[in-house]
Each structure stands twice: as structure tokens, then as C-alpha cells.
Amino acid sequence: MKPKIDKIEKPRKSGGIKWKIFRWLLIFAAVILVILWLCQVVFLDNIYKAVKIAEIKSAASDLAEYTDTAEELNARAEELCSSSDICVFVMKMLNNQTALGLASVDTQRDCTLHNTDQRSKFVLYDSAKKAGGSNLQRFYFDDKSDRFYSIEGSLYDKNPSGEADYSSESILYTVITEAGDGSETVIFIDAVISPVGATVRTLNFILIIISGILILLSAVVAFVISYRVSKPLEKMSYAANELAKGDYSVAFSGSGYRETEELASSLNYAASELSKVDSLRRELIANISHDLRTPLTMIEGYSEVMRDLPGENTPENVQIIIDETNRLSSLVNDVLDISRLEDGSYKPKNERFNLTEAVRTTLLRYNKLCERNGYRIEFAGDSDVFVNSDQTRIMQVIYNLINNAVTYTGEDKTVYVRQSVRNGAAVRIEVEDSGDGIAPDKLEFIWERYYKVDKEHKRAAIGTGLGLSIVKRTMEMLGGSCGVISAVGHGSIFWIELPTDDGDTGRNDL
Ligand code: ADP
């Protein structure tokens, strides 16, 4: 059972979509600023040094390829020094105390390499040797004592004054390469790097300005986006409230976004369906109450007459009461049938039965009517066809079609019922009348619930407008099909089709 909704519940208090989008866009801008600040300010020094060290190491391994001839080595060293802002010194070790200079390129002012004596190079060589062939050292020049100090203090002493006030830093990389004959070549590369403090201060300033602009911009963008996204939803929510209150004329608009447009068109469709259902419901109540009232009035009237006047207690009067009771029960049955078919609670049977026989049995119900009112129902179907389906439902479908044909047929009061087998695989039952037919623009609606082509017409008052919708839903449920061919002024042919049962496709003559 569906829950009954008495009133529109207010949603839980959870921030609106507008503010959520707004908040998330601002958070996004803040995250970008933090990343920018970390890269540009906090880690700038480390990133700069890491890049420089990688550059020095690559230059050293490049130079190691050229250690065979001094000219080539010098030429390559010149190239590298001018492109990468480094100083190079290369020497060949003759023994532990003497070495032969192979190349020397000096391009930077405060380079440790070219401002210290030869002895220092042997110290650097020793430390690289101890470290397994290469070594990286950082130095700074102290103006007061006019000498270089090691920043880590591992090679030279640290500044004894304890001060480390330097304007530039020198990174010195020493690498020892061994030739085939066992001799060693030592490559020194020095890069002087300026501290990034001043740059960081400038970047900080720029960053503050960028942050201000970015926050302002993202606030504006966030506001515009959130407003534009939430506006159609707010409008739709308002319209949905109106719809819930019973105003079916509301129109939902999606304001130019695909998703909201789709939602709006679904809601518009739902609104139009609801409106249809509502007007059908009103019509049905009016129809059913009218249809119920007429037989009930008749039953009441005849019963009272029969009670009060013993002479009126005739079989004819009793028959009228029985007929009216039958009308009442068929009306109630129709309403029950359609509701069971629509909510899916009806479970169809699947049994093999003789369809031709079922049609004939249905026609027997009309014998009385034909005798009394001069109707003629002709059946053409000389062989028995078997199908696998729900016999009761199929008989109900045929009954509904014949009922309509009898109701709407023309002056000749004739109805033709035909059975034919198509390609040995499907059987078709056609019910033809010679009535007024149905206008083409009405044809698509006759299968809808409670639809009547001509509501004012006397004949239409007989039906409930449910017969054909029961036919259509039943055939869909049973895997068959149905349709109509109608010509105004000439009559209509209503048909149904079902797959025949394998093996017995209808050639078993009686
Ligand atoms: P009803 O119970 O009113 O006959 P149906 O669903 O069976 O309801 O039919 C819907 C409408 O289709 C009818 O009101 C009628 O206007 C039209 N209709 C159905 N069968 C025929 C027919 N054989 N000839 C003309 N109109 C028909």
C-alpha cells in the first residue's frame, strides 16, 4: 500500500544547494591559494636548490664523457658553464699530492672553486673519495673574515663567530671518475645561488594581491553559478507545491540546463497525466454514479410495485430486476478488472484451450438478445484453433468486443465475427459491425480508461468506457495484440491476435 500523504512535509534543515555550491567553490579557491603559497613561498628555496643540484649532477656526468682530450673538455665545459651558470674545474690526479689541471671555467663572482687555494681541492677530493666517489658541499663567503665557510660544517670549519649572514650560497659538487689505466680525473662543479628571501618577499606581496582578487572573483563566480543552478530548482519546487495542492495548470521550466530541462519536462508530463487522471476520476464518479443510480432506481421501483401490488408480481418484472442486477454486477466487475490489471495483481493462467470453441461459447450468451431484438451475429471460422493463454480473460475480451459491436452496429443489426490463422503462427479474431465507425482523430483515445467518443450519445451511456482498456491491457498482459480499422459511416473492425499453440495451428476440422 502506498503511504498516505496528508500534507507536504517540510524537508530536513540541510543547507540549500545555492549555499552549498557557494561554499564549495570558495573552499576550492582557498585550496588553490594554499597550494600556490606552499609552492611559491614555503618550498621555493628547497625546490630551487633541488633543481640546481640536479642540473649540476647532469653537467658532471656530461663532462665525464669528455675527459680524454683537454680541448674537447674545455669546449664542453665552456658551453655548460654559459648555459647553466656554473663554474667548472677538472684535474687529473698524478698522485695523492699532485694533480694536473685539465679544464677551468670561471663564470661566477663568489664561486668557492676559484676563490680557494689548490689545497682545498685536495681536501674536497679526499672527502669525495671517502664518500664513495662523489660529494656535495655547501659554502658561503664571509666578508668580515674574508673567507669561505662550510654551511654544514662537515668539510671546513663553521664560522667561529657563529654568524651565518651570507648574501649568496655556493653548491660544490665533486665527482671522481676512473680511467681504464687506473688514473683518476676529478670534476668540480660549483653553482652560486642567491638566497630566495627577497624573491619570497616579492612573491608574498604578489600572492596577497592575487589572493584578494581570487577570493573576490570566486565569490562572484560562486554566487552567479549557485544562483543560476538553484533558481530553476526553486521555481520547480514552488510549482510542484502548487501541483500538490491540485493546481494542474502549473508549468515547470528548466531554464536552459539539460538536466533541469529533462526534470521539468518529466514534471510537466506528470502534471498533465495527473490532470488527465483527475478529470477522468471526476468523469468516472459522475458516470458510475449515474450508471449505478439508473439500475438501482429501476430495481427499487419494480420491487416496491411488486411488494405493494400483488398483480404486478410477474416473471417480466422479475426479469427486469435480474437484468438490472446483471448490469450492476458487470459494471462493478469492469471496475475491479481494470484495477487488478493495472496494479499487476492479476496473475494470468497459461493453459492450452480451444479458442474457436471459446468464441462459440461466448456467442451463445447472445442467443436471447438476438431472438428478442432481432440482432444477427455471424461467426466464420471452420477449423478449431488452439492457443496457450488465459481462457477466462480471452473470453472476457471477445465478449467486450462483441458487446460494443452489438451496441454500436447499424440498422441491419448484424455483427460479423471471423477467425483466421496467419502464417500458421498467429490466430486473429475480428469483430465487425456496420455502425457509424469512429473518427480517425478519436481512434487513439478509445483504448484509454473511461473514454467515450460521444458522451452525449444515448448508446454511450450504456457502457462505462472501460471495455476497450480492459481489452488492451489484457492482450498486452497475455503477449497478444489488438487494434481497430474503422471508417466513418461504414463501421469498424476490432481485432485481437494471439500466437497459436505449437503443433496444433488449427487444421483439426471438427
Ligand atoms: P464503453 O463501455 O463505453 O463501450 P469502451 O472502452 O468499450 O467503453 O469503448 C470506448 C469508446 O469507444 C466507446 O464509448 C465508443 O464511443 C467507442 N467504441 C467502441 N467500440 C465501438 C464500435 N464498435 N463502434 C463505434 N464506436 C465504438
Side-chain angles (χ1 to χ4, degrees), residues 334 400-401 404-405 408 433 436-438 446 448 451-454 460 462-469 492 494:
D334 273 5
N400 284 3
L401 294 183
N404 280 351
Y408 296 102
D433 65 73
D436 295 339
I438 305 160
I446 57 171
E448 287 180 11
Y451 182 82
K452 292 182 181 185
V453 172
D454 181 3
I462 297 168
T464 54
L466 289 172
L468 288 180
S469 59
S492 317
F494 281 85

Side-chain angles (χ1 to χ4, degrees), residues 360-477:
R360 286 206 179 95
T361 314
T362 311
L363 291 178
L364 287 180
R365 296 168 71 178
Y366 289 91
N367 280 352
K368 266 266 168 56
L369 181 86
C370 293
E371 269 173 33
R372 244 194 293 147
N373 301 341
Y375 283 101
R376 214 152 51 87
I377 304 180
E378 290 190 8
F379 177 58
D382 48 6
S383 57
D384 282 13
V385 179
F386 286 79
V387 291
N388 253 325
S389 195
D390 187 321
Q391 182 167 0
T392 322
R393 300 304 324 163
I394 291 292
M395 282 174 77
Q396 173 74 48
V397 163
I398 296 166
Y399 178 74
N400 284 3
L401 294 183
I402 297 176
N403 248 358
N404 280 351
V406 168
T407 309
Y408 296 102
T409 196
E411 295 297 310
D412 65 356
K413 292 191 168 183
T414 309
V415 170
Y416 298 96
V417 181
R418 281 186 295 271
Q419 170 199 289
S420 55
V421 176
R422 313 201 131 206
N423 305 327
V427 57
R428 184 178 172 115
I429 305 287
E430 289 179 349
V431 180
E432 181 179 350
D433 65 73
S434 58
D436 295 339
I438 305 160
D441 59 324
K442 304 278 186 333
L443 274 181
E444 59 174 308
F445 303 112
I446 57 171
W447 307 97
E448 287 180 11
R449 283 165 296 171
Y450 312 123
Y451 182 82
K452 292 182 181 185
V453 172
D454 181 3
K455 297 181 186 79
E456 307 306 317
H457 204 282
K458 260 194 223 151
R459 280 170 164 182
I462 297 168
T464 54
L466 289 172
L468 288 180
S469 59
I470 291 176
V471 169
K472 183 158 184 262
R473 280 175 180 71
T474 306
M475 293 315 289
E476 280 169 359
M477 177 182 72

Side-chain angles (χ1 to χ4, degrees), residues 114-164:
H114 293 93
N115 290 299
T116 49
D117 55 11
Q118 187 64 15
R119 197 183 57 84
S120 313
K121 297 196 178 61
F122 285 107
V123 176
L124 286 166
Y125 163 76
D126 284 341
S127 78
K129 188 100 181 155
K130 267 191 222 137
S134 67
N135 194 8
L136 198 76
Q137 297 282 332
R138 288 161 65 223
F139 301 95
Y140 73 94
F141 187 73
D142 183 44
D143 289 326
K144 272 187 221 150
S145 52
D146 195 27
R147 58 166 291 193
F148 282 96
Y149 284 103
S150 164
I151 292 176
E152 284 91 4
S154 57
L155 189 62
Y156 294 135
D157 290 340
K158 270 190 169 179
N159 189 345
S161 68
E163 287 169 13

Side-chain angles (χ1 to χ4, degrees), residues 206-390:
I206 296 172
L207 216 63
I208 288 169
I209 295 174
I210 291 181
S211 305
I213 296 172
L214 204 68
I215 287 176
L216 214 73
L217 262 181
S218 50
V220 172
V221 169
F223 183 75
V224 172
I225 292 180
S226 56
Y227 179 81
R228 297 196 60 159
V229 168
S230 65
K231 197 72 199 156
L233 293 177
E234 275 171 10
K235 272 204 250 164
M236 275 194 268
S237 147
Y238 176 78
N241 272 338
E242 293 301 299
L243 178 67
K245 285 180 200 156
D247 177 5
Y248 300 113
S249 64
V250 287
F252 294 89
S253 99
S255 306
Y257 302 103
R258 186 167 51 83
E259 290 81 359
T260 47
E261 291 281 359
E262 278 169 9
L263 179 62
S265 86
S266 309
L267 286 170
N268 279 329
Y269 178 68
S272 84
E273 286 298 296
L274 276 176
S275 137
K276 261 194 236 165
V277 168
D278 192 59
S279 63
L280 284 173
R281 185 180 56 86
R282 285 169 207 274
E283 229 170 77
L284 172 77
I285 291 173
N287 282 349
I288 291 193
S289 37
H290 173 265
D291 290 349
L292 287 176
R293 209 173 40 225
T294 318
L296 280 175
T297 316
M298 299 267 278
I299 293 169
E300 190 188 15
Y302 275 87
S303 312
E304 276 174 4
V305 167
M306 285 162 68
R307 182 195 60 200
D308 299 338
L309 309 168
E312 288 296 323
N313 211 336
T314 61
E316 289 77 25
N317 286 349
V318 173
Q319 189 56 47
I320 291 175
I321 292 177
I322 291 170
D323 288 347
E324 294 304 324
T325 317
N326 285 342
R327 263 188 78 179
L328 274 180
S329 69
S330 81
L331 174 72
V332 172
N333 283 339
D334 273 5
V335 174
L336 282 177
D337 273 357
I338 195 76
S339 66
R340 277 161 74 212
L341 284 170
E342 289 197 339
D343 70 15
S345 62
Y346 184 81
K347 298 278 167 276
K349 292 191 191 75
N350 192 24
E351 62 206 353
R352 186 169 182 273
F353 67 91
N354 187 332
L355 178 69
T356 321
E357 196 56 48
V359 175
R360 286 206 179 95
T361 314
T362 311
L363 291 178
L364 287 180
R365 296 168 71 178
Y366 289 91
N367 280 352
K368 266 266 168 56
L369 181 86
C370 293
E371 269 173 33
R372 244 194 293 147
N373 301 341
Y375 283 101
R376 214 152 51 87
I377 304 180
E378 290 190 8
F379 177 58
D382 48 6
S383 57
D384 282 13
V385 179
F386 286 79
V387 291
N388 253 325
S389 195
D390 187 321

